Amino acid sequence: MPATPHDLALTTEAPLHAVDAWWRAANYLTVGQIYLRGNALLREPLAPSDIKPRLLGHWGTSPALNLIYAHLNRLVVQRSLNVLYIAGPGHGGPAMVANTWLDHTYSELFPHVTQDGAGMLELFRQFSAPGGIPSHASPGTPGSINEGGELGYSLVHAFGAALDNPDLIVACVVGDGEAETGTLAASWHLNKFLNPDTDGAVLPIINLNGYKIANPSVLARIPESELFELFRGYGYEPILVSGGVNGEDPMLVHSAMADALEYAADRIAEIRRAARSPQPAPRPNWPMIILRTPKGWTGPKEVDGLPVEGTWRAHQVPLANVAENAEHLAMLEEWMRSYRPEELFAADGSPVPMLSSIQPRGDRRMSALPASNGGLLLTDLVLPPLEKQAVDVSVGRGVTAEATRALGSWLADVTRLNPHTFRVFGPDETASNRLDAVYDVTDKQWMGSTEPTDEHLARQGRVIEILSENLIEGLLEGYLLTGRHGLMNSYEAFIHVVDSMFNQHAKWLESAREIPWRRPVASLTYLLSSHVWRQDHNGFSHQDPGFLNHVVNKSPDIVRVYLPPDANTLLVTAEHCFTTRDHINVIVAGKQPAPTFLSLTEARTHGARGISIWDWAGTEQPGAAPDAVIASAGDVPTLEAMAAVTLLRDAIPGISLRFVNVIDLMRLQTSAQHPHGMSSGDFDSIFTTSKPVIFAFHGYPTLIHQLAYKHTNHVNFHVLGFREKGTTTTPFDMLMMNDLDRYRIAIDVVRRVPGLQDRYSSLIEFFEDERSRLRAYAYENGEDSPDVTGWEWMATREGH
Amino acid sequence: MPATPHDLALTTEAPLHAVDAWWRAANYLTVGQIYLRGNALLREPLAPSDIKPRLLGHWGTSPALNLIYAHLNRLVVQRSLNVLYIAGPGHGGPAMVANTWLDHTYSELFPHVTQDGAGMLELFRQFSAPGGIPSHASPGTPGSINEGGELGYSLVHAFGAALDNPDLIVACVVGDGEAETGTLAASWHLNKFLNPDTDGAVLPIINLNGYKIANPSVLARIPESELFELFRGYGYEPILVSGGVNGEDPMLVHSAMADALEYAADRIAEIRRAARSPQPAPRPNWPMIILRTPKGWTGPKEVDGLPVEGTWRAHQVPLANVAENAEHLAMLEEWMRSYRPEELFAADGSPVPMLSSIQPRGDRRMSALPASNGGLLLTDLVLPPLEKQAVDVSVGRGVTAEATRALGSWLADVTRLNPHTFRVFGPDETASNRLDAVYDVTDKQWMGSTEPTDEHLARQGRVIEILSENLIEGLLEGYLLTGRHGLMNSYEAFIHVVDSMFNQHAKWLESAREIPWRRPVASLTYLLSSHVWRQDHNGFSHQDPGFLNHVVNKSPDIVRVYLPPDANTLLVTAEHCFTTRDHINVIVAGKQPAPTFLSLTEARTHGARGISIWDWAGTEQPGAAPDAVIASAGDVPTLEAMAAVTLLRDAIPGISLRFVNVIDLMRLQTSAQHPHGMSSGDFDSIFTTSKPVIFAFHGYPTLIHQLAYKHTNHVNFHVLGFREKGTTTTPFDMLMMNDLDRYRIAIDVVRRVPGLQDRYSSLIEFFEDERSRLRAYAYENGEDSPDVTGWEWMATREGH
């Protein structure tokens, strides 16, 4: 963007009075949101009836958020910068909203909140009110990509947003409370991954206001020497701005803060120049700002004889019972009038012109930055054809392939075709999950030092690996919310590390759907591999399929779960997920050599249906009801279920078994529960209304019951799956430990089809003997018997 | 413990040859576990038949773990120390087991693994084999309290173990991979909470071997100046030991490592002296060691033309296909013989006497330290009576109380009576969750600087608060696993942050049950408050009851979930939880003023049953089957369900409603599924076999279906609960948004009791109108109507 005349109007020498006025105005609007339902402009003395009946909100963090906003505005105007403002501290909602109203953005996006006295009152009344807006930065806050609810994700979101945005500066305000969280503590090291040439800059501003809800913060109570060493050790150049204590003149702080920001902007410009020169410099020490101000600065100093400003008591509502307590009411009025609203708002309540002198225009406003509403910038991915990677099963079903390896090859093509808008993130598991074909076309981005033995490390690359699921998740969230695409991969068990981040992202997407001006963003897609059934060598700690249970609790508008049974269905599933918007897709797929069941064409049909009867895999006779339905979801259970059919077909002449495979788990719900759910007619036509259904499932059996319980034949569902039995053993022994092996499936069919159990009791005994034999073999030999490791028997299924 | 003559045999001048021999022996035993199934002592040339069919395990991290173990042994002997060894790096299992075998502990605890050649072979064969032992430190590893499966929890476990163990040194080896995780990155700051007077010391030893699975580690690739600044900034005194590169003589590293450990031990002794003097010193800068050694040190330098030692290729099994590849076989033999096993093991295969010269004896062995098998040290908590805190309902049911406030008062008594063995942990929410009565008897432990305005901060205190659920959880785990008791409290929504840590602790407990020498430890008890139904002011991000769904997936031997409906039942529940062992108890309870339903005596009975019919709350007529069952679990749903009964009783003369309350959620399963489950007879006697059951549940409705689906009348269960609808609104509006309010419950009863719907269609309309009126009131006034905020109607229930 070229600089406009307006942008050039301010210089570094411009007075800071406008900044101070903006700050006072934002503070005034923040306090008003917490307290007032009338008399917004204080044109009358404050009366009890002006006070909200229920005082909610958080004052403590707000003055610093407002201070930073005001100063960043000045910097943006002065230097024609594109700055994304991320507010990390919890419950900074009223502050952020106040600034966006001053920006005029709020009135543009929510026209009923006009930029005048009536709109100001509406702004106040809606805050933390039923039908109104929440108390922290949320999807409804213009300019925000980070919810201030669950703490700790601001800085990782900032780095995700900065990737591939070379002209962007992400100013990330970190609270000293959230700085104690694990994710935030680890996020500082992300400067080892940010390339100043091709990525934007992240400017962390940690606000040491000293207190959390009820305790001092750790970083505010260590010697300044340690504080500097810490941030230097993290690889930054820290700049300290400190003040506001004991009534110190805010203008002194303004001056220091302006200098700090200008220095930081200079350093960022220098770093960019150095990185974008023909001889790129080594990893820079990016600037960061330590802003030490009193909690609740400019609020009441003392209330009821106890100190408030500068203590934890300023965290929420410093003055309670204002409507009932005349002294508190007077203190509130004095507090609000201390901002001199008559200087800040014109007769009609609109901000005075002095404020707009430091207000950026149009898209440069931090509250209107297109990157903060990423869907505005989103373009479709260019998706390559799947044919190159598809496994050819024309020679017969069962061709061996490693599903994730096929996917990796396709992801390489995706990466090549979308060189600036697609990234893969992994916690040091991208190669282990067999996606390493991507390294044929790209590298792992890495700004740390390098050694001659390193492979695939480069300053610019489309893969980022760091051993923290939290950081991987947060980077991808930040990348998606600013309008790009990506995939994260993880071992299945350890994805639980981000359960809570998943929750918050799902809630963000669900809330964003209701904000009319938020544009859809690319879905967050997880590839979970190294899954529960093939962690036999790593043992119990690595065996956990519970993320699926966690995911399905979230809104059906948002969550999708896919269990492609083979390589071709995985390809089709991934292709689909990359075209979706505002969803969270969870794909579970194996990395081990496994049979390919479907051709690419069949896989497309199956993927589109989400659930199908596989005629070729069952023994059903046309025209007659089957004796039982054998269903499967997941690659390993599908193989076992098919093997069970073979065992039964060979042992029980004429047995009629229907084979059903589920790829889209949400299909099992009703259409009233989930957009992918089935009507009862469709469900009944697949699962019958009365026949036994033996369901071999990848995860915990209860999940299938939970999803399917509203359907008629659910009473006849018998689900086999992970029963929380795990250890270091062989793959087949893992199945036997959890009663998910082919013999157990076959036994359960015999037991549940009426009339079979008595006639085939010796068959059950034989199957049980086989299990004992196979377990003994494994324990004796340390590996599985060839009887269960091959799948030659698949050749006896219908040819293709 | 007094020093024994043996302890005094070594001095600081003792030669390091014994240390080197121990290291070589442990390395030999590590390699043997990964590769050999025969020829353990290499008394013959290595043959393909000596090689395991499936090569599993992780070599890369092992040599450093062994080096540290050997040196710590020497230090323990030399100074008569009590050292707990925590191995953080992933997959260090074979190394830790090797050392415990050399210690003779392994043979004492697993007598079939003798300390001779036959036992050595057994040691090798069992590793990563079916029926054997896993590849990382696990409950079966003597001396371990930390599983090396999911990474990042070593250092927080170390701090938890050190609390209240003033004579202990916890030597915590941190991997440079796990150092990238959030929890580990935040854990360094726990030195701001450790009191050198009353707590033990934590000696972190970060091993920079440079690589993760497939990538360099961040901390190994920053300048040494930054590394030092980082750890100084974290508040430590870092000591660098570096060596072993390019074939450097290990004796040089031994010398540096011995010096470093002696210096660290000196510093710890000085810090203790200073802290235990009459004028305690300020927070010390504890020593920590940075140990930089090549990954897979002493292993193959190069394999198939590619560098291995000192690269990520040394992570797992450096030599593959050894049985089939003669060159690899020869390299393995050369590698193993490089340790000179003939010097290390006597003719019978037992360790030579030189090794035992640095071997501590008895309980001083790190593998036999009682704190590492905490149940050995565990004593019962002294539990005060509940009568003092019990809410008196003799004036009538419905007396208002804040449940967690009553609990807090009782916890104060528990704290007072157990001054060294009980702690409360919270993420800055202990006061917010209204447990602040504990501050009447204790303080928050805090070693940071203090200000005059601080309250309840002290160098020693029984409450620890830091804004990280991960750290809180890890501290409590470490505290419990070393034989003490505790409680952690959290907002309900954000407990998902520790989902994965919960998983791993549950798996640890489940596995530990099968290790005969592991003694039961105190259960981990969560108090979840500020729950989903009273986060109306904080909004959607704070509204999530899904932890219960997550918990119930884990072993029924381990997990327990309690939803006490009022203050008295909360007291009874907490008392029970503190007497249990090896469980994970989840208690969800409210902090807001709410009615007390049961007397303490009734609460005891109800708590013991876990589920009861509340005759006084229903309208059931003796001798006749009820028209419907109204059931509830959770405080807010119970209030709504009771209000629904009142509405229906007043509107439908003679309606017969049974009221059931569930406090112990696992009672809803069958007795085959969970030890607390009910027989079908018991279940049917409570829920009938055919009547509609309208179940008002605290969490996601699907959870009740998941738990109860095996019972006969489950088909008639209609569950109301959280439907993932949330925002900032009033408490009653939250209930209406999710269809869990009293009117909705009453409507659903009318709809489901045969014959009522037609006769009472106008009642349904009336109830719907009431809902509309109440919502309009809330939106107009910003608070709930008095119609639903009082519970005067409770007085019309049966008197008490």
Side-chain angles (χ1 to χ4, degrees), chain B residues 408-576:
Chain B
S409 169
W410 185 69
L411 290 175
D413 289 348
V414 175
T415 304
R416 198 170 34 75
L417 294 174
N418 303 275
H420 304 297
T421 55
F422 177 79
R423 282 182 178 269
V424 174
F425 299 89
D428 190 33
E429 292 163 2
T430 301
S432 173
N433 285 327
R434 305 199 182 167
L435 303 177
D436 42 313
V438 294
Y439 302 136
D440 294 343
V441 303
T442 191
D443 292 305
K444 291 175 278 196
Q445 188 157 318
W446 176 260
M447 295 293 297
S449 65
T450 54
E451 299 283 341
T453 49
D454 289 335
E455 289 185 356
H456 305 306
L457 297 184
R459 294 166 66 94
Q460 211 285 323
R462 311 307 299 167
V463 179
I464 290 188
E465 296 226 275
I466 182 166
L467 205 163
S468 164
E469 289 80 4
N470 295 118
L471 294 185
I472 293 312
E473 166 94 17
L475 285 173
L476 178 55
E477 288 177 4
Y479 198 61
L480 297 174
L481 289 171
T482 48
R484 284 78 62 82
H485 303 264
L487 173 80
M488 76 178 270
N489 73 92
S490 169
Y491 280 21
E492 184 184 33
F494 304 141
I495 196 66
H496 277 296
V497 170
V498 298
D499 275 6
S500 215
M501 295 183 78
F502 158 85
N503 272 356
Q504 297 298 330
H505 189 64
K507 285 172 181 284
W508 175 281
L509 292 175
E510 174 72 2
S511 299
R513 287 165 53 90
E514 291 163 22
I515 307 296
W517 49 266
R518 282 262 168 210
R519 292 285 169 271
V521 295
S523 303
L524 193 162
T525 300
Y526 297 95
L527 173 73
L528 307 184
S529 194
S530 308
H531 64 52
V532 57
W533 298 112
R534 294 310 303 271
Q535 284 292 328
D536 35 279
H537 58 299
N538 278 326
F540 199 30
S541 65
H542 287 54
Q543 293 158 342
D544 196 296
F547 190 62
L548 305 187
N549 299 62
H550 179 68
V551 163
V552 300
N553 283 332
K554 286 289 160 285
S555 168
D557 295 330
I558 304 299
V559 297
R560 307 286 182 267
V561 178
Y562 299 99
L563 293 151
D566 68 3
N568 287 340
T569 47
L570 173 59
L571 289 169
V572 167
T573 302
E575 179 188 56
H576 167 72

Side-chain angles (χ1 to χ4, degrees), chain A residues 54 213 499 507 536 543, chain B residues 54 428 499 507 536 543:
Chain A
R54 197 169 174 226
I213 303 180
D499 274 7
K507 284 172 182 284
D536 36 278
Q543 293 158 343
Chain B
R54 197 171 174 224
D428 190 33
D499 275 6
K507 285 172 181 284
D536 35 279
Q543 293 158 342

Side-chain angles (χ1 to χ4, degrees), chain A residues 54 180 212-213 215 221 226 283 313 428 454-455 467 499 507 536 543-544 554 700, chain B residues 54 136 180 212-213 215 221 226 283 313 428 454-455 467 499 507 536 543-544 554 700:
Chain A
R54 197 169 174 226
E180 295 177 13
K212 300 169 288 192
I213 303 180
N215 286 285
R221 297 293 182 93
E226 283 187 11
R283 170 173 70 80
R313 293 191 191 88
D428 190 32
D454 289 337
E455 291 186 354
L467 205 163
D499 274 7
K507 284 172 182 284
D536 36 278
Q543 293 158 343
D544 197 297
K554 286 290 158 286
Y700 294 104
Chain B
R54 197 171 174 224
H136 30 73
E180 295 176 13
K212 299 170 286 192
I213 303 180
N215 286 285
R221 297 292 183 93
E226 282 187 11
R283 172 173 69 80
R313 293 191 190 88
D428 190 33
D454 289 335
E455 289 185 356
L467 205 163
D499 275 6
K507 285 172 181 284
D536 35 279
Q543 293 158 342
D544 196 296
K554 286 289 160 285
Y700 293 105

Side-chain angles (χ1 to χ4, degrees), chain B residues 632-655:
Chain B
S632 69
D635 56 354
V636 167
T638 297
L639 179 60
E640 291 307 301
M642 285 193 54
V645 173
T646 299
L647 292 172
L648 289 166
R649 182 197 60 177
D650 295 347
I652 305 181
I655 190 170

Side-chain angles (χ1 to χ4, degrees), chain A residues 130-161:
Chain A
I133 65 166
S135 63
H136 29 73
S138 69
T141 310
S144 175
I145 67 159
N146 181 72
E147 177 120 18
E150 183 167 293
L151 300 180
Y153 311 136
S154 59
L155 193 54
V156 67
H157 284 161
F159 277 97

Side-chain angles (χ1 to χ4, degrees), chain A residues 53-54 56 58 91 128-131 133-136 147 149-151 153 177 180-183 185-186 189 192-193 211-219 221-223 226 229-230 232-235 283 285 307 311-313 428 444 446 448-451 453-455 457 465-468 491 493-494 496-497 499-500 503-504 507 510-511 536-538 540-544 549-550 553-555 700 702 705-706 709 724-725 728-731 778-779 781-783, chain B residues 53-54 56 58 91 128-131 133-136 147 149-151 153 177 180-183 185-186 189 192-193 211-219 221-223 226 229-230 232-235 283 285 307 311-313 428 444 446 448-451 453-455 457 465-468 491 493-494 496-497 499-500 503-504 507 510-511 536-538 540-544 549-550 553-555 700 702 705-706 709 715 724-725 728-731 778-779 781-783:
Chain A
R54 197 169 174 226
L56 300 173
H58 292 72
H91 300 288
S128 271
I133 65 166
S135 63
H136 29 73
E147 177 120 18
E150 183 167 293
L151 300 180
Y153 311 136
E180 295 177 13
T181 66
T183 303
H189 283 301
K192 281 81 189 182
F193 297 87
Y211 298 91
K212 300 169 288 192
I213 303 180
N215 286 285
S217 64
V218 168
L219 291 183
R221 297 293 182 93
I222 62 175
E226 283 187 11
E229 282 177 313
L230 182 65
R232 285 191 188 124
Y234 271 129
R283 170 173 70 80
N285 293 100
T311 80
W312 77 94
R313 293 191 191 88
D428 190 32
K444 291 175 278 195
W446 177 259
S449 66
T450 53
E451 300 283 340
T453 50
D454 289 337
E455 291 186 354
L457 298 184
E465 296 225 275
I466 182 165
L467 205 163
S468 164
Y491 281 20
F494 304 141
H496 277 296
V497 170
D499 274 7
S500 215
N503 272 357
Q504 297 299 329
K507 284 172 182 284
E510 174 72 1
S511 299
D536 36 278
H537 58 297
N538 277 326
F540 199 31
S541 65
H542 287 54
Q543 293 158 343
D544 197 297
N549 299 64
H550 179 68
N553 284 332
K554 286 290 158 286
S555 167
Y700 294 104
T702 50
H705 291 294
Q706 176 182 331
Y709 79 97
E724 196 63 24
K725 301 289 180 195
T728 308
T729 187
T730 67
Y779 279 55
N781 297 280
E783 60 184 355
Chain B
R54 197 171 174 224
L56 300 173
H58 292 71
H91 300 289
S128 271
I133 65 166
S135 63
H136 30 73
E147 177 120 17
E150 183 166 292
L151 299 180
Y153 311 135
E180 295 176 13
T181 66
T183 303
H189 282 302
K192 281 81 189 182
F193 297 87
Y211 299 91
K212 299 170 286 192
I213 303 180
N215 286 285
S217 64
V218 168
L219 292 183
R221 297 292 183 93
I222 62 176
E226 282 187 11
E229 281 176 315
L230 182 65
R232 284 190 188 123
Y234 271 129
R283 172 173 69 80
N285 293 101
T311 81
W312 76 95
R313 293 191 190 88
D428 190 33
K444 291 175 278 196
W446 176 260
S449 65
T450 54
E451 299 283 341
T453 49
D454 289 335
E455 289 185 356
L457 297 184
E465 296 226 275
I466 182 166
L467 205 163
S468 164
Y491 280 21
F494 304 141
H496 277 296
V497 170
D499 275 6
S500 215
N503 272 356
Q504 297 298 330
K507 285 172 181 284
E510 174 72 2
S511 299
D536 35 279
H537 58 299
N538 278 326
F540 199 30
S541 65
H542 287 54
Q543 293 158 342
D544 196 296
N549 299 62
H550 179 68
N553 283 332
K554 286 289 160 285
S555 168
Y700 293 105
T702 50
H705 291 294
Q706 176 182 330
Y709 79 97
V715 289
E724 196 64 22
K725 299 290 180 195
T728 307
T729 187
T730 68
Y779 278 55
N781 296 280
E783 60 183 355

